[in-house]
């Protein structure tokens, strides 16, 4: 039977076979595009769920820091007045924030300007070298 199918194809004109090939290729490409769209849609849905979960984790992490802060204040309040315990925790948090801000500023300053400085410097050196060689070559010519 498979041989009969081959004979069928051999008997058809080339133009008809090319048209059939073109139609099948078009159909195949459409199906592949449709599959890619479905796959991307599915991945997009999963990514958005994951992003939402990260947001929720951040929110509950913030709540946890708030609860920890309250616990620290209450623990200190057993030996100090409540207002002083809260003030101490506030000052410690402010000091941590200040150190992080200064370190962040230093990191940003170290990353600017956003140019590849070493590459620029070596390129300038290369240009100077080429100019020097060109001038020396002109001076050697009679």
């Amino acid at each position: 039977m498979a041989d009969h199918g081959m004979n069928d194809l051999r008997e058809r004109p080339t133009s008809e076979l090319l048209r059939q090939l073109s139609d099948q290729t078009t159909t195949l490409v459409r199906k592949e595009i449709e599959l890619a769209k479905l796959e991307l849609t599915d991945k997009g849905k999963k990514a958005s769920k994951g992003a939402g979960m990260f947001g929720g984790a951040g929110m509950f992490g913030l709540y946890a820091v708030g609860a920890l802060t309250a616990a620290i204040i209450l623990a200190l309040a057993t030996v100090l007045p409540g207002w002083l315990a809260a003030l101490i925790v506030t000052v410690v948090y402010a000091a941590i924030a200040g150190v992080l801000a200064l370190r962040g500023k230093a990191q940003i300053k170290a990353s600017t300007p956003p140019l590849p400085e070493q590459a620029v410097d070596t390129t300038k050196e290369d240009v100077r070298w080429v100019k020097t060689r060109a001038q020396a070559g002109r001076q050697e010519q009679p």
Side-chain angles (χ1 to χ4, degrees), residues 43-141:
K43 286 185 178 190
K45 287 178 184 177
K46 288 179 182 175
S48 66
K49 284 180 185 178
M53 288 179 185
F54 271 125
M59 183 181 72
F60 280 100
L62 187 59
Y63 291 159
V65 169
L68 178 64
T69 300
I72 293 169
I73 291 170
L74 290 173
L76 286 174
T78 60
V79 292
L80 300 170
W83 68 269
L84 187 56
L87 182 62
I88 290 171
V89 172
T90 301
V91 169
V92 169
Y93 281 2
I96 292 170
V99 168
L100 288 173
L102 291 174
R103 300 264 329 254
K105 181 180 175 184
Q107 288 291 320
I108 289 174
K109 188 174 182 179
S111 70
T112 56
L115 295 173
E117 293 174 340
Q118 289 180 339
V120 169
D121 290 343
T122 56
T123 302
K124 287 178 181 178
E125 287 176 24
D126 292 344
V127 169
R128 284 193 295 268
W129 182 82
V130 168
K131 285 181 179 179
T132 303
R133 297 290 295 172
Q135 288 174 352
R138 280 189 238 135
Q139 290 175 357
E140 290 178 9
Q141 291 179 356

Side-chain angles (χ1 to χ4, degrees), residues 14-71:
T14 304
S15 62
E16 184 181 331
L17 291 173
L18 288 174
R19 184 187 53 74
Q20 184 180 359
L21 176 64
S22 174
D23 290 346
Q24 289 176 352
T25 302
T26 302
T27 301
L28 179 63
V29 168
R30 283 186 188 140
K31 296 277 185 188
E32 289 294 338
I33 289 172
E34 186 177 322
L35 177 63
K37 284 180 184 177
L38 288 173
E39 186 177 352
L40 288 174
T41 300
D42 185 50
K43 286 185 178 190
K45 287 178 184 177
K46 288 179 182 175
S48 66
K49 284 180 185 178
M53 288 179 185
F54 271 125
M59 183 181 72
F60 280 100
L62 187 59
Y63 291 159
V65 169
L68 178 64
T69 300

